[in-house]
Amino acid sequence: MRQCRRRSQFRFFVKFAGTVALAVVLASCSRGANPTTEEPEVTVLSPTPTATVVPATPTPEPTAPPSTATPVPEPVVEPPLFPTPEVDLEDYSVYGETLLAAFAEDAERLSDAPHYYIQVGLVPGEVPRLEGVQRVRITNQEETSLNELYFRLYPNLPAFGGSAQISRAMVDGKVVEVAHLFEDAVVHIPLDDGLAAGAITDVTLWFWATLPTQVYAGTAGAGLYGFVNGVYDLAGFYPTLAVYDHRGWDLFAGASFGDSLFADIGYYQVALTAPGALAVVASGSTTAREPNEDGTTTWRIAGGPVRSFYAAVTDRWEAISEEVDGTIVNSYYPAGGLASAQTALSYTTGSLAVFNGMFGQYPYRELDIVPLPTTAFGMEHAGLLALAANFYGEGGGGFGIATPHEVAHQWFFNLIGNDQPDEPWLDESLANYAVYLYYEAVDWPQMQTVMMENVFRYRYDAARNLGIDRPVSGAVVGFDQSNYINIIYSKGPLFLHAVRERIGDAAFFAALLDYAQTHRYGIAYAEDLLGIFRRHSSTPIDDLIALWIYGE
């Protein structure tokens, strides 16, 4: 990082240091509160990872046909709001345009990943609404045949505060009955003929979703889905294919805080139609904008391979840009927020350059930063960082911690997926420790001290003093809002630092790079990371793992 930039950042640090005792919240993608001993109410929808559809009892054939056939009326099916999209889901050329030249081959290396085509319209109103249809090309990547598929409807989670439904479904051109499960947060799609290992099916879903119009503090929504202050925040609005892994179908619905998304990497083509005065900032890259006769504009967007699709829609932002290692970084800002946008851009470009060398290069042509009216300090999306809109005022905000944290999530969430509801530490602890690594790499000792002493040790000591210490490992629902931040964002990074001190820098950084490259575009679990640490050094670390991670 250039020396002049560091001096500018240090002036920001002087204003920021007074509130840094709460700094872990800045890096947090969760919506936890400060330590308290009160137990919060948590809404949990129980998973059924091995749910199957019980076939109906077969009716035996009669010994003789009836004398007269009973006429069976043809079912009356109302035409769908949108016709089934005609699109070539095997055309990878559009994704190559969104990737850096060095990664162009990645556009078609994951042919078995889900391929989404989403055609959706944004309908403003007192209760804003999304109406659309999506086709998904699904390959059975398992070794066993599948008799059903499951899609998540994230807007129906209590923390998101919206609603969503699938109104019609087709599998390979045949209409099928769907079942909405777990308070409509999961949808079951039967596969009458089964789907053999390696086989492909084409699923079309007609859906709608509504958006909340206020921020619910302290929840997984926290303004990260909805329409507030002129910004349509479209996170997880579409039916998302659930993950099938070694445990079966993962249908866990998510707690009222922490992150809810768990998804395979996929390819996305999106046609998003919105009023013509609005602009769209989204995962991937915009390939075309088409004005329509009714005054709307259709934005055609492509991204892949990416973990999910996200879009923000508004008429209230401008942008500044800078290039880093071939990637264009766009920093969006509201009126009066130019200085804050420059600060966000500086931290983003600086940490992106560092993490490119540390974890392997970010492969996409674009990375966006947007301000959102959230009570959280930041949220990661594929190819996009969402930062709190209240940072973009005269008082500034926690860019120095929140921004590098969200940049690190472009690896530890997007490129390397994990089960965020069940193993939140695997991405959040790594992303928060990466903030410390960033300041170490640019030789900024004051901010290294802020991270190690004020963010990690101070908050972990607070948890111990309050008697709310616990192991780092565990699902979000095993925590409460009194200790989630302290353990996941402070104790987890301290574990990583302890491993680093035990095995040495060479082995530690080689292990991080190995982990990021081995599981790039895939899904990793805790034992994958811990196993890589073990392989890169003959120095035992099982005692550290037992003490910090599993509490043994």
Side-chain angles (χ1 to χ4, degrees), residues 284-533:
S285 298
T286 297
T287 59
R289 282 178 287 182
E290 302 168 355
N292 302 309
E293 292 182 356
D294 61 358
T296 63
T297 298
T298 298
W299 296 67
R300 298 196 178 275
I301 305 158
V306 292
R307 191 66 49 187
S308 61
F309 177 79
Y310 169 85
V313 184
T314 187
D315 61 355
R316 302 190 177 188
W317 294 341
E318 297 182 61
I320 55 175
S321 303
E322 186 174 330
E323 182 177 325
V324 180
D325 297 334
T327 296
I328 299 297
V329 180
N330 302 306
S331 183
Y332 291 84
Y333 62 95
L338 176 58
S340 295
Q342 291 169 332
T343 301
L345 183 62
S346 177
Y347 282 115
T348 301
T349 56
S351 55
L352 182 63
V354 168
F355 298 153
N356 276 343
M358 199 172 286
F359 309 132
Q361 189 169 4
Y362 177 82
Y364 312 107
R365 292 183 181 272
E366 184 177 336
L367 178 62
D368 298 318
I369 315 156
V370 300
L372 291 180
T374 172
T375 58
F377 276 57
M379 184 65 193
E380 71 276 9
H381 299 289
L384 187 145
L385 326 177
L387 302 178
N390 60 20
F391 288 2
Y392 290 74
E394 292 183 4
F399 292 107
I401 297 177
T403 310
H405 177 98
E406 303 306 342
V407 173
H409 270 311
Q410 295 306 310
W411 284 264
F412 308 120
F413 152 72
N414 181 36
L415 291 173
I416 306 102
N418 68 290
D419 188 339
Q420 292 181 292
D422 278 354
E423 293 184 326
W425 79 272
L426 196 54
D427 65 302
E428 296 296 354
S429 297
L430 277 166
N432 229 25
Y433 189 60
V435 181
Y436 175 83
L437 297 179
Y438 163 58
Y439 287 116
E440 185 178 61
V442 299
D443 191 23
W444 195 348
Q446 296 93 338
M447 287 302 288
Q448 287 178 249
T449 300
V450 165
M451 292 304 299
M452 185 58 65
E453 300 301 329
N454 297 62
V455 176
F456 302 156
R457 289 182 176 144
Y458 173 83
R459 293 194 68 90
Y460 177 49
D461 287 345
R464 291 194 295 175
N465 292 337
L466 288 169
I468 56 174
D469 187 17
R470 54 148 292 159
V472 173
S473 179
V476 175
V477 292
F479 293 82
D480 57 51
Q481 290 178 319
S482 71
N483 64 3
Y484 182 70
I485 295 294
N486 307 62
I487 303 304
I488 297 299
Y489 294 85
S490 297
K491 185 176 183 179
L494 288 173
F495 160 73
L496 295 169
H497 195 68
V499 170
R500 177 185 174 184
E501 289 182 325
R502 176 75 64 85
I503 68 177
D505 280 5
F508 180 80
F509 286 104
L512 283 185
L513 181 60
D514 186 358
Y515 173 73
Q517 295 301 302
T518 299
H519 297 285
R520 192 179 186 92
Y521 301 135
I523 290 175
Y525 298 86
E527 285 302 317
D528 294 319
L529 175 64
L530 300 176
I532 286 177
F533 279 138

Side-chain angles (χ1 to χ4, degrees), residues 115-410:
H115 292 55
Y116 291 80
Y117 179 85
I118 304 171
Q119 182 180 331
V120 62
L122 172 62
V123 183
E126 184 176 351
V127 179
R129 183 180 177 94
L130 295 160
E131 298 175 346
V133 58
Q134 72 177 32
R135 278 183 61 189
V136 192
R137 179 181 181 269
I138 300 168
T139 302
N140 181 2
Q141 302 180 61
E142 313 309 320
E143 297 178 355
T144 183
S145 179
L146 298 176
N147 295 316
E148 64 269 319
L149 300 170
Y150 292 90
F151 285 81
R152 295 171 177 270
L153 293 180
Y154 286 109
N156 286 331
L157 293 180
F160 279 68
S163 61
Q165 289 282 324
I166 290 177
S167 57
R168 189 169 185 255
M170 296 177 67
V171 176
D172 294 327
K174 177 183 176 183
V175 175
V176 298
E177 294 294 326
V178 303
H180 289 75
L181 311 175
F182 308 137
E183 300 183 22
D184 292 345
V186 174
V187 174
H188 171 265
I189 306 291
L191 299 175
D192 294 340
D193 299 325
L195 188 65
I200 298 172
T201 190
D202 191 299
V203 177
T204 304
L205 304 173
W206 286 261
F207 69 94
W208 57 260
T210 64
L211 302 171
T213 55
Q214 59 181 317
V215 175
Y216 297 92
T219 71
L224 296 171
Y225 172 75
F227 174 62
V228 178
N229 295 343
V231 179
Y232 296 91
D233 184 1
L234 309 184
F237 67 89
Y238 58 93
T240 303
L241 181 66
V243 172
Y244 187 100
D245 60 13
H246 59 284
R247 303 166 297 185
W249 286 106
D250 190 297
L251 304 181
F252 177 72
S256 63
F257 60 93
D259 294 319
S260 302
L261 180 67
F262 180 32
D264 286 308
I265 206 83
Y267 295 92
Y268 290 83
Q269 294 184 54
V270 179
L272 196 165
T273 299
L278 302 179
V280 177
V281 183
S283 301
S285 298
T286 297
T287 59
R289 282 178 287 182
E290 302 168 355
N292 302 309
E293 292 182 356
D294 61 358
T296 63
T297 298
T298 298
W299 296 67
R300 298 196 178 275
I301 305 158
V306 292
R307 191 66 49 187
S308 61
F309 177 79
Y310 169 85
V313 184
T314 187
D315 61 355
R316 302 190 177 188
W317 294 341
E318 297 182 61
I320 55 175
S321 303
E322 186 174 330
E323 182 177 325
V324 180
D325 297 334
T327 296
I328 299 297
V329 180
N330 302 306
S331 183
Y332 291 84
Y333 62 95
L338 176 58
S340 295
Q342 291 169 332
T343 301
L345 183 62
S346 177
Y347 282 115
T348 301
T349 56
S351 55
L352 182 63
V354 168
F355 298 153
N356 276 343
M358 199 172 286
F359 309 132
Q361 189 169 4
Y362 177 82
Y364 312 107
R365 292 183 181 272
E366 184 177 336
L367 178 62
D368 298 318
I369 315 156
V370 300
L372 291 180
T374 172
T375 58
F377 276 57
M379 184 65 193
E380 71 276 9
H381 299 289
L384 187 145
L385 326 177
L387 302 178
N390 60 20
F391 288 2
Y392 290 74
E394 292 183 4
F399 292 107
I401 297 177
T403 310
H405 177 98
E406 303 306 342
V407 173
H409 270 311
Q410 295 306 310

